[in-house]
């Protein structure tokens, strides 16, 4: 099942997205079915539907927090100037950094360079704490795509990651959540379109993550209680690079789709 969140002429709602969603450039013939209340557990439907082409996709979930993994691909750790740590490294991004598909990433006036980081994201499905790795799947609603946008100069200046990764719009998420997905070996590709030319920057597979989904959920839930809708970003592979005013960033993950966001510089 594909779960999403939309803005329609009747307001904002959670939906199930059914049918052919197209190739990313058009919505195909898909329709959305409005979910009553929330998508957790066994969702019920109101009976209202719209063509996907007639609504606007929003970030598919309202997270209380975003937990992100650092250096979870060995090749990315190396390109950042070090080896991957033995234990997972986690940090928080505020929920105010979340935006949906096609919403602009707003670059601060004083941040150079700002990098894209395409990632698979876990969506938590129920309250949980101290989850063993073997039972992680029981607590997961599904998976979506995220872009952990990062201001590298601020990251280096501060010696930690909070400011560099917390700006409003620095966590694009979407376009929807897929609930029936095996996340163990998915292709991940990030491309940047600039002046009409598209360059593939990142291409890897989730099977190359150092800490897999079960280990990630076990580690994070040992630290904090996870709530329905919370997001865990699972880390980015090698190939991160700068984004500039006028670019479009596309993150594609097999079995999910493509998350696209234009890039704007504040003040331009």
């Amino acid at each position: 099942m594909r779960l999403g969140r939309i803005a329609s002429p009747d307001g904002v709602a959670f939906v199930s997205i059914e049918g052919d969603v197209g190739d990313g450039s058009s919505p195909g013939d898909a329709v959305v079915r409005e979910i009553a209340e929330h998508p957790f557990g066994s969702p019920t439907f109101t009976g209202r539907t719209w063509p996907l082409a007639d609504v606007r996709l929003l970030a598919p979930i309202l997270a209380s927090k975003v937990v992100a993994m650092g250096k979870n691909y060995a090749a990315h750790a190396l390109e950042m100037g070090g080896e991957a740590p033995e234990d997972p490294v986690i940090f928080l991004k505020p929920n105010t950094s979340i935006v949906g598909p096609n919403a602009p990433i707003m670059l601060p006036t004083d941040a150079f360079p700002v990098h894209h980081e395409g990632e698979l994201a876990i969506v938590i499905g129920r309250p949980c704490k101290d989850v063993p790795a073997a039972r992680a799947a029981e607590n997961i609603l599904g998976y979506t795509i995220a872009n952990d946008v990062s201001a590298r100069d601020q990251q280096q200046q501060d010696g930690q990651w909070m400011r560099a990764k917390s700006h409003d719009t620095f966590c694009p998420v979407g376009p929807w959540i897929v609930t029936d997905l095996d996340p163990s070996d998915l292709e991940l590709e990030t491309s940047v379109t600039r002046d009409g030319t598209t360059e593939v920057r990142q291409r890897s597979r989730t099977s190359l993550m150092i800490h897999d989904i079960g280990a990630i959920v076990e580690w994070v839930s040992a630290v904090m209680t996870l709530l329905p809708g919370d997001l865990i970003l699972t880390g980015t592979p090698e190939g991160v690079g700068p984004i500039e005013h006028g670019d479009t960033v596309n993150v594609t993950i097999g079995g999910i789709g493509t998350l696209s966001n234009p890039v704007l510089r504040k003040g331009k």
Side-chain angles (χ1 to χ4, degrees), residues 180-242:
D180 51 350
L181 185 68
D182 179 354
S184 61
D185 187 30
L186 304 174
E187 184 177 58
L188 185 156
E189 179 182 288
T190 304
S191 65
V192 175
T193 301
R194 179 176 298 166
D195 298 328
T197 300
T198 298
E199 175 192 7
V200 175
R201 300 272 188 85
Q202 297 180 279
R203 182 178 285 134
S204 188
R205 303 194 70 86
T206 57
S207 55
L208 295 175
M209 289 193 296
I210 298 168
H211 307 285
D212 65 12
I213 300 300
I216 291 169
V217 173
E218 180 175 50
W219 182 269
V220 175
S221 69
V223 177
M224 65 191 79
T225 299
L226 296 170
L227 301 177
D230 281 352
L231 291 167
I232 304 177
L233 278 52
T234 60
T236 197
E238 73 278 12
V240 300

Side-chain angles (χ1 to χ4, degrees), residues 20-29 52 176 250 252 257-258 260:
D20 177 15
V21 296
D23 60 2
S25 61
S26 64
D29 62 2
L52 179 58
W176 40 66
N250 309 289
T252 300
T258 299
S260 295

